[in-house]
Amino acid sequence: MSALAHDGLAMTGRQLRRVRNSPGLAILTQMMPINMLLFFGYVFGSALAMPGREYRSFLVPGLLVATAAGGLMTGMLQAAADTHRGVMDRFRTMPVSRAAVPLGQAVADLVVTTVGTVPLLLVGLAVGWRIEGSAAAALGAVGLLLFFRFACTCAGIHLGLLTRSEDAAGQLGASSFVLPLMSNAYIPTGNLPGWLRALAEWNPISAVTTALRDLFGNAPVPHGAAWPVAHPVAGSLAWCLALTAVFLPLAVRRYARGQR
C-alpha cells in the first residue's frame, strides 16, 4: 500500500505538471462552462416557462454536473495520448505500481477540477444563483460532484486505453458531449415523451444534477420520476460506486496488459 501511495503521488505530480505546462488548454476548458452559463442562462431562460433568474438557479447545478461528466472525455484523451506516444510503455519498464498510473491520472484530474469549479461557482453567484440549503448539505453536494467526476474519469481512462489511435479517442470523446443533452442538466424532463423521459432519468447525469439541486436547495425532487431521480442522493452514490468499481479495475488491468 505504501508503494502504491508513493507511486500514485508521483503520477499525480506528473499529471499536474502536464496541466501547468499547458495553461491555455486548462483555461479554455474552464471557460467553456462559464460561457454556456451566460449563453443558456440569458437565452434559454427567456424561452422557458421559468423566469430568467429562476432558470439560472436551475441551470448552475446542471452545468456543474455536465462539467464533471467531461472527465469522461478528459480521461480518454490523456490516456490515449500517453498510450500512443509510448509513455505507457515506458512506465511499464519502471518499478511503478500498476494501479498508480491510472489512479494518479484520476486524482490529478480531480485536483484540477476542484480548482476549476471555483470560477463557475463565482459566476453563478454573480448571475443570481444561491445556495439555499444548509452548509453541510452544500458540502455534501460538492463531495458528490467530485466523486462523480472521479468515476467519469476512471471510465474515460479505460476507454482511452482501449482506443487504437489518438484521433479515435478524440472522436469518441467529442461524442460524449451529447450525454448532458440527454439529461435534466439544461431542461426539466417532465414534459418529454415517455421513452425519452425514461432514457434521460436513467442517465447518471440526471441523478447527480437532481441531487445537487436538492442539496443546494435550488429545486425540489420531482414526483413520479425514475428511481435514480426520485431518490437522487442514493441514486447518485449508486451510479458513482458502480462506475468506479467497474472501470477503475478495468483501467488498471488494461494498463498492465498493454496494447494488444
Side-chain angles (χ1 to χ4, degrees):
M1 184 60 70
S2 59
L4 174 59
H6 179 271
D7 294 342
L9 285 173
M11 292 297 107
T12 300
R14 179 219 171 226
Q15 291 290 339
L16 291 175
R17 287 190 294 273
R18 187 180 192 177
V19 174
R20 184 189 64 188
N21 292 332
S22 303
L25 181 60
I27 292 171
L28 180 63
T29 302
Q30 298 305 325
M31 285 300 298
M32 185 175 296
I34 294 175
N35 291 335
M36 291 176 67
L37 171 59
L38 297 175
F39 179 78
F40 284 8
Y42 287 94
V43 176
F44 281 14
S46 62
L48 297 175
M50 298 180 183
R53 181 170 177 174
E54 183 181 346
Y55 177 66
R56 290 191 288 276
S57 293
F58 175 89
L59 178 64
V60 169
L63 274 175
L64 287 169
V65 179
T67 303
L72 184 67
M73 179 172 65
T74 303
M76 197 183 310
L77 294 176
Q78 290 183 349
D82 283 347
T83 297
H84 300 292
R85 296 177 188 180
V87 177
M88 294 297 192
D89 290 334
R90 195 177 313 157
F91 284 153
R92 290 188 193 96
T93 66
M94 300 168 63
V96 176
S97 168
R98 293 295 184 250
V101 176
L103 191 60
Q105 180 182 333
V107 172
D109 178 86
L110 199 61
V111 173
V112 173
T113 299
T114 302
V115 174
T117 299
V118 175
L120 179 57
L121 291 174
L122 292 176
V123 174
L125 291 170
V127 300
W129 171 74
R130 294 292 182 269
I131 297 175
E132 300 175 56
S134 67
L139 288 174
V142 174
L144 184 59
L145 180 72
L146 295 178
F147 190 11
F148 183 60
R149 174 73 181 205
F150 181 81
C152 290
T153 304
C154 290
I157 292 170
H158 174 63
L159 294 175
L161 292 171
L162 289 175
T163 56
R164 295 297 179 183
S165 68
E166 287 188 60
D167 289 340
Q171 293 170 3
L172 184 59
S175 66
S176 67
F177 181 75
V178 76
L179 293 176
L181 301 178
M182 298 293 293
S183 73
N184 64 3
Y186 305 136
I187 60 170
T189 58
N191 294 326
L192 294 177
W195 66 271
L196 186 56
R197 178 180 178 181
L199 184 65
E201 290 179 349
W202 280 96
N203 184 336
I205 294 173
S206 292
V208 183
T209 299
T210 305
L212 260 64
R213 287 176 182 143
D214 182 41
L215 293 170
F216 283 138
N218 299 142
V221 176
H223 296 291
W227 185 87
V229 173
H231 305 83
V233 175
S236 299
L237 289 173
W239 273 119
C240 293
L241 287 169
L243 290 170
T244 304
V246 170
F247 286 106
L248 183 56
L250 285 176
V252 173
R253 181 180 178 184
R254 182 66 188 184
Y255 164 74
R257 291 175 58 195
Q259 288 292 100
R260 291 286 187 265

